[in-house]
Amino acid sequence: MSAPEIVTFGEAMGLFLADAGTPLAHARRFTRTLAGAELNTAVALARLGHAVAFAGRVGDDPFGDDVRATLRAEGVDAGALRVDPSAPTGLLTRDQHGERRLRVVYHRAGAAGSRLTAGDLAALPIEQARALHVTGITPALGPTARAATLAAVERARAAGVPVSFDPNFRARLWSAEEAAKVLRPLALAADLVLAGEEEACWLSGCDDAAAAATWFLRRGARAVAVKRGARGAWVADGERALAIAARPVALPVDPVGAGDAFDAGFLSAWLREQPLERCGAVAAAVGAACVQSAGDLAGLPTGAELAALLDDETEVDR
């Protein structure tokens, strides 16, 4: 693969997904697939026609084998993905419902992904990329993963490579107080902030999506997208600010992964220098496509499928 357009890194996990509609406590049948915020976004971007590289750690086990095979099959460069023989690939088990609260059980403590180091990212060609995408999950995994995240962002900024950041706060991994000390500086270092509404307001201290977006823009962000779930999104770039309607989904199957898919759609259109409204529309379409299939990856659209969703006559540029 030539130099990647977009690079990212993080935790890749095996996922056991209960049959649709069956509460996890009563589930007896599961589908095995993969999960991980950055992995989801990497695959989504690759399907949209971008050259993507992914780095991280997986165990020397069948789940790690699956991560590597899936990334290769999706066209993602996994040359910087390290196999750790002393730790397993992380796992999670969850159910899937379109309308009710999900139950999720993680088996990630001490897993390979939590042992990520800055050295593991040495082979990731950050300086040659057009963008680095990071989330707030990786620095929550442990001290070395946190240091790796900060070092990667510093490398990108030193090279003039735009940083895309999704806070992705996970209360199971760390407290809000501890997280804010790390996530707020990362958000302020980002060129593109892609945050849920609650996260955006929390990190900015503002009361609503529009005010939060303005807060980030005044502190250096070039574009901000505040995700509001079924209420769409608020997007702004310093020149324009507008509400993006959520795309109607007649039968939502599985909401998990929609935020990662939204990130990929927005980042894809933004890197193609498309207008702000188009960035929001692409993001909403990719997110809506994701929730119509079970699992984090199955519903992610290709460029041709996205063009059809947007009623375009031509495929998204490849």
Side-chain angles (χ1 to χ4, degrees), residues 7-284:
V7 296
T8 188
F9 59 91
E11 182 183 38
M13 296 181 288
L15 165 62
F16 287 92
L17 188 64
D19 280 356
T22 306
L24 188 57
H26 304 289
R28 295 294 181 268
R29 296 194 302 177
F30 297 82
T31 298
R32 199 187 93 183
T33 179
L34 299 177
E38 298 88 353
L39 180 141
N40 296 343
T41 301
V43 170
L45 285 162
R47 289 191 189 174
L48 293 176
H50 296 275
V52 187
F54 177 87
R57 280 198 191 200
V58 294
D60 186 12
D61 52 40
F63 304 103
D65 294 343
D66 192 15
V67 171
R68 296 195 302 276
T70 297
L71 290 173
R72 285 195 300 268
E74 295 288 351
V76 176
D77 182 350
L81 183 66
R82 178 178 175 184
V83 177
D84 186 339
S86 63
T89 305
L91 300 176
L92 69 93
T93 304
R94 69 173 176 86
D95 47 22
Q96 52 175 316
H97 304 280
E99 303 293 340
R100 60 182 288 181
R101 185 178 180 86
L102 301 181
R103 291 292 307 277
V104 184
V105 177
Y106 289 97
H107 302 277
R108 71 195 330 170
S114 68
R115 300 186 179 194
L116 184 75
T117 70
D120 294 335
L121 303 183
L124 189 66
I126 294 173
E127 290 79 4
Q128 287 73 51
R130 291 189 60 209
L132 166 69
H133 178 69
V134 300
T135 84
I137 293 178
T138 301
L141 297 176
T144 62
R146 186 174 310 172
T149 304
L150 298 176
V153 171
E154 288 177 3
R155 283 175 58 189
R157 288 179 61 81
V161 174
V163 176
S164 166
F165 177 63
D166 184 338
N168 237 327
F169 172 62
R170 295 290 185 268
R172 290 189 182 189
L173 293 174
W174 52 356
S175 69
E177 181 179 5
E178 182 184 12
K181 293 177 182 179
V182 177
L183 300 186
R184 188 173 287 114
L186 285 172
L188 294 177
D191 299 270
L192 179 58
V193 177
L194 305 165
E197 185 169 24
E198 185 175 344
E199 296 167 332
C201 293
W202 164 55
L203 291 175
S204 67
C206 298
D207 294 329
D208 58 60
T214 300
W215 189 90
F216 288 115
L217 290 168
R218 287 177 176 172
R219 286 158 178 80
R222 292 160 60 183
V224 179
V226 180
K227 297 173 279 189
R228 308 171 72 191
R231 293 182 294 123
W234 181 263
V235 298
D237 63 3
E239 296 182 1
R240 298 186 66 198
L242 61 152
I244 300 294
R247 290 182 66 88
V249 176
L251 185 63
V253 173
D254 185 0
V256 177
D260 306 327
F262 181 103
D263 291 355
F266 196 98
L267 180 56
S268 173
W270 187 71
L271 284 173
R272 288 175 169 134
E273 299 182 352
Q274 296 182 351
L276 181 67
E277 186 172 5
R278 175 73 171 188
C279 292
V282 170

